[in-house]
Amino acid sequence: MRQLKTLLDRTILAVLITFWLTSGLYGQEPLQIVTDPWPPYSFGENEDNPGMDAEIILAVFKQLNIPLTFTFYPWKRCLSMVEKQIADAILDASLTPERKAFLHFPDEPVSEDITVFFIKKDRNIPYTSLKDLELLTAGAILGYSYCDEIDQALFVKNAERVSSLKQNFRKLLAGRIDLIVEAVAVGYYTAKQMGISDQIKIIPNAYYCRGGNYLAFSRKPGHE
């Protein structure tokens, strides 16, 4: 709880400074923030429990007296909406060179996580480096980018991509894919929701993409 409060205070301070310096957003229509359901960071259409990151953003903008709306779409569509400047911002975006071309990223993320590889609990996959996974079939989410090291790996480039993590877990348990690329907290939370926590595990010592989940703004005029 103390760590969450510290992160919230830092986030509020950073946003306050930004909006004091660029006050063009005051008095305008509510900011439209898009994201996909990504529990425990964002839960979707759940006003009582919006998720950790969504709750932080709601608190920040409430203190700033800036209205906003959250709308949930598949991730690939969310990226398209901010790139085309249909939406104002996207929540829980990782920072990549490609995305910096059409998004403003703040200095600090809303939260942090690491990317891991989920496999069936009864399976052992020898692992010393990413090359050990090259011949395996991976599952990933449409539109997701992880970090350069993972994104350039052959098994991620050739991953079977679907619109939801639950689909990937069902494919994993059915033996249709060998592993799932996902943030550790998101993977374990979804597995618990599905009642399959005792059927999955992560590949030991394979931890990548330690980094931030950002609230990134489209490059509309005034969003700097």
Side-chain angles (χ1 to χ4, degrees):
M1 182 62 70
R2 182 177 297 174
Q3 184 178 11
L4 179 61
K5 184 180 184 301
T6 300
L7 179 58
L8 177 59
D9 290 342
R10 289 164 57 194
T11 305
I12 290 173
L13 178 60
V15 176
L16 278 170
I17 292 171
T18 299
F19 279 91
W20 283 335
L21 293 175
T22 58
S23 58
L25 290 175
Y26 284 105
Q28 295 186 5
E29 293 296 317
L31 292 172
Q32 184 184 5
I33 299 176
V34 294
T35 189
D36 68 342
W38 202 47
Y41 298 108
S42 60
F43 281 95
E45 307 290 346
N46 188 336
E47 294 182 1
D48 295 328
N49 187 7
M52 296 189 301
D53 288 0
E55 190 171 351
I56 288 173
I57 296 305
L58 286 167
V60 168
F61 282 90
K62 182 178 180 180
Q63 291 201 26
L64 291 169
N65 292 317
I66 297 175
L68 60 84
T69 61
F70 271 110
T71 313
F72 296 88
Y73 299 105
W75 185 250
K76 193 171 182 180
R77 182 176 176 185
C78 292
L79 287 171
S80 176
M81 291 179 72
V82 286
E83 184 172 12
K84 294 176 180 177
Q85 300 185 3
I86 298 170
D88 293 296
I90 184 169
L91 179 61
D92 287 332
S94 59
L95 194 160
T96 68
E98 293 77 15
R99 291 175 182 174
K100 287 182 72 174
F102 61 90
L103 288 171
H104 294 295
F105 283 87
D107 292 334
E108 292 195 16
V110 182
S111 62
E112 295 182 346
D113 209 330
I114 58 173
T115 299
V116 296
F117 308 121
F118 288 90
I119 60 175
K120 292 176 69 173
K121 194 165 188 176
D122 60 1
R123 184 170 182 185
N124 290 314
I125 296 178
Y127 173 83
T128 55
S129 71
L130 292 176
K131 289 186 177 295
D132 296 329
L133 310 178
E134 283 188 349
L135 300 180
L136 300 180
T137 302
I141 304 296
L142 286 166
Y144 274 27
S145 181
Y146 303 95
C147 60
D148 284 345
E149 191 172 15
I150 293 294
D151 291 340
Q152 297 306 314
L154 184 63
F155 68 97
V156 177
K157 285 184 176 181
N158 296 333
E160 296 183 9
R161 293 187 177 256
V162 295
S163 59
S164 79
L165 180 55
K166 289 183 178 180
Q167 287 177 272
N168 269 335
F169 271 128
R170 285 192 283 267
K171 291 174 67 175
L172 179 71
L173 296 181
R176 293 167 55 193
I177 57 177
D178 299 303
L179 60 90
I180 297 171
V181 186
E182 187 53 81
V184 62
V186 176
Y188 276 125
Y189 187 91
T190 302
K192 183 178 180 180
Q193 277 188 316
M194 297 175 68
I196 61 169
S197 298
D198 60 341
Q199 300 178 56
I200 57 101
K201 64 182 180 181
I202 61 174
I203 297 178
N205 302 316
Y207 307 115
Y208 290 90
C209 308
R210 186 181 298 275
N213 307 314
Y214 290 84
L215 176 67
F217 285 83
S218 67
R219 289 187 174 269
K220 287 184 179 182
H223 281 189
E224 296 82 0

